[in-house]
Amino acid sequence: MKRRNFIKKAGITGAAISATPSIFAQNISEIKTSREASLPIAIATWNFHEATKKAGELLNKGTSALDAVEQGVMVEEANLKNTTVGNGGAPDRDGNVTLDACIMDPEGNAGSVVYLKNIEHPVSVARKVMEQTPHVMLAGEGALQFAIQNGFKKKNLLTKNSEKAWKEWLKEKEYKPIINIENHDTIGMLCMDKDGDIAGACTTSGLAYKMNGRVGDSPIIGSGLFVDNEVGGAAATGMGEAIMKSVGSFLVVELMRNGRSPQQACKEAVERIVKKNANHKDFQACFIAINKNGEVGGYAIHDGFSYAKYQDNKNENVKCKSFL
């Protein structure tokens, strides 16, 4: 019997075998059966409602999870008002806009690009890496060369507004993330199509005014994003350094594999970061997740994090619980 079929038949009983009474009580109140979940579903970090709307509408038309998740995050890559993703993203301290992105399909294939300049849609380049090369990740000039060879056009991504903000920052050069203000956030998206298949994508311009060459968690498979189609998927946002050190998205998926709901898994992953970082009050770290039953969840260190969800033709913003 396949694992996914066993899980569906066992339901709560299987999860209860190794659970403590307190966890079991929480499971009863949170877990939905697969019959209650209405597919398809699209979720994304923060209130990127236009991205989930795009992905959700495509899913409703029968588009695959992989195509929907790529098209969904591309909305924010092209959004000049979003200074943390794609075109118009805040530059590093030397004035360079450098982009990171990754994507995973339901078969476990993955593609990633890091330190990519002058290409508006790094997620699409990451997909090309996944589908057309024997590699998972391409970086810097190699990633740019690959993108151009595959028909992507070079573009100046430093807008007048981003350049003005960067020059203002240069006056004092204060290198400090601001919790829940988008100077260091990203869009991570998970889509589950009508067939129950899951894909994910994550894309960012990274921490504003970062050191030249810095790469965060977003393009790192297992940190910023992880999908196992037998279990579920997870995506992260916030301070990438802390998320990388915990391999956070992989951890969330493994916790779900061992019976946690998406909400419980995100909470436990955040608590591990808190435990290992005495300075956790100074930064934000957040996770979202979806499992094969169509349950979703999210959790953060600090209050103020939310995720966008598109389901049943309804696009909503869900406020998440937090450690602080």
Side-chain angles (χ1 to χ4, degrees), residues 61-100:
K61 295 176 182 178
T63 301
S64 70
L66 180 62
D67 288 340
V69 81
E70 179 189 10
Q71 293 291 320
V73 299
M74 284 174 66
V75 170
E76 291 306 318
E77 288 180 335
N79 181 5
L80 297 182
K81 294 181 180 180
N82 184 342
T83 61
T84 68
V85 180
N87 195 3
D92 63 21
R93 57 180 57 185
D94 295 333
N96 305 301
V97 179
T98 63
L99 307 180
D100 306 320

Side-chain angles (χ1 to χ4, degrees), residues 12-13 29 31 36 52 101 123 136 159 201 231 238 247 289 299 317 324:
I12 294 173
T13 304
S29 65
I31 288 181
E36 291 176 306
T52 49
V123 71
V136 170
T159 62
V231 180
V247 198
Y299 199 80
N317 187 239
L324 296 174

